[in-house]
Amino acid sequence: QVQLVESGGGLVKPGESLRLACEGSGFTFSDYYMNWIRQAPGKGLEWVAYITASGRTIFYADSVKGRFTISRDNAKNSLYLQMSSLRAEDTAVYFCARDKFYYDSGSFHYFFDYWGQGTPVTVSS
Amino acid sequence: QSVLTQPSSVSAAPGQKVTISCSGSRSNIGTNYVSWYQQFPGTAPKLLIYDNTERPSGIPDRFSASKTYTSTTLGITGLQTGDEADYYCGSWDSSLRAVVFGGGTKLTVL
C-alpha cells in the first residue's frame, strides 16, 4: 500500500534552518509529482511547494519563495524540504503529499491522493 | 484570508443531510477542477472528492459534490457521528500558479 513517512521536524530558533524528508513506498515514486503542505496550529491547510516527477519543474507559495527549497532523490524514493531563514509564522505540521496534476481541455486537474502523517516544526526563541 | 471561502462551521443531526459550500473565482474553481478533503483532529487530510464530483475507491456514496461556475458544494447524507471532522476544498489557481484551499469547515453532528 502507498505510504509516505515524513521526518526531520523539530524546534528551531528564528533565522535557523531545518531539512525535512519524506520517504515514499508502495508505489513508483519517480512517476509522481510530490508536494509539501503545511498546517499551522488551529489553522487550515496551506500548500507550500511542488516538484515534478523528474524534478525539473518546481513551484513555491509566495510565503516561502526564496527561503524554502524542495528537492527529490528518486533513487532513494525521497522528497525533501530545505527550510532556511525560518520565522515564527512557519510553525506548522508539514505534510508531504502525492498529487495528480494534469491539464486537459483548458482546465487543470490537481488533487492530493495520499498524504503522510506530518512532521511538526516549531520556530520559537 | 483563504482564496477559497468556506463557512467556518456547519451542524446537523444524525441521519440528516448537510451541505458545505466553497466559493472561489474564475481563476480557480471557475476554470479548474475541485477536490475535497476530510481531516480528523491530529491526523492527515484524506481525499474525499476529486475532479469536482468523483469519489476515490472506498469513499461511500453518502459523500457527493456538485459545482456551478465558481462555487462547489459538498453534500453528506445519512450523517453519522463519525463524520465529525474538518472539511477542506482545494483547487489550482491559474493566476496565482498555486494550489489554493478553503479555510476549512468544522462539521458537528449533534
Side-chain angles (χ1 to χ4, degrees):
Chain A
Q1 73 281 20
V2 173
Q3 276 199 305
L4 297 168
V5 180
E6 301 95 337
S7 60
L11 172 63
V12 295
K13 292 180 169 54
E16 292 186 343
S17 298
L18 198 62
R19 189 194 197 207
L20 306 182
C22 168
E23 184 172 354
S25 61
F27 65 104
T28 304
F29 187 82
S30 58
D31 282 350
Y32 288 87
Y33 290 18
M34 296 295 296
N35 299 253
W36 287 100
I37 297 158
R38 67 184 181 182
Q39 186 170 36
K43 301 297 184 183
L45 302 172
E46 181 188 14
W47 171 79
V48 173
Y50 93 71
I51 185 169
T52 56
S54 66
R56 279 197 286 266
T57 300
I58 288 170
F59 278 95
Y60 295 100
D62 286 346
S63 57
V64 305
K65 209 172 289 185
R67 300 187 301 122
F68 289 12
T69 302
I70 188 172
S71 62
R72 65 191 296 161
D73 184 338
N74 287 339
K76 294 182 178 178
N77 293 335
S78 291
L79 174 74
Y80 305 101
L81 187 67
Q82 178 68 45
M83 304 185 294
S84 60
S85 302
L86 281 161
R87 307 166 180 166
E89 54 265 36
D90 296 318
T91 294
V93 174
Y94 285 73
F95 298 98
C96 67
R98 191 182 86 168
D99 79 43
K100 294 286 182 67
F101 183 30
Y102 61 97
Y103 184 75
D104 174 44
S105 301
S107 299
F108 284 98
H109 301 247
Y110 204 131
F111 57 93
F112 306 103
D113 58 355
Y114 288 95
W115 299 63
Q117 84 288 351
T119 187
V121 172
T122 302
V123 184
S124 174
S125 54
Chain B
Q1 201 79 336
S2 301
V3 174
L4 305 182
T5 300
Q6 298 180 234
S8 58
S9 64
V10 296
S11 62
Q16 297 301 304
K17 176 181 177 178
V18 72
T19 59
I20 299 172
S21 61
C22 170
S23 64
S25 65
R26 178 184 177 187
S27 62
N28 41 69
I29 297 177
T31 301
N32 302 312
Y33 288 81
V34 179
S35 52
W36 285 91
Y37 304 88
Q38 177 190 58
Q39 185 182 34
F40 297 106
T43 70
K46 175 183 174 182
L47 179 65
L48 208 56
I49 298 286
Y50 68 97
D51 285 357
N52 297 337
T53 60
E54 302 299 310
R55 279 178 287 107
S57 172
I59 300 300
D61 59 8
R62 299 188 300 108
F63 296 89
S64 65
S66 61
K67 180 184 159 182
T68 56
Y69 177 44
T70 56
S71 294
T72 181
T73 300
L74 175 70
I76 311 173
T77 59
L79 273 173
Q80 303 172 1
T81 55
D83 295 331
E84 283 202 342
D86 294 323
Y87 293 83
Y88 294 90
C89 57
S91 181
W92 178 256
D93 190 297
S94 299
S95 294
L96 297 174
R97 300 179 81 189
V99 176
V100 292
F101 289 104
T105 300
K106 181 177 179 59
L107 169 63
T108 301
V109 181
L110 303 168

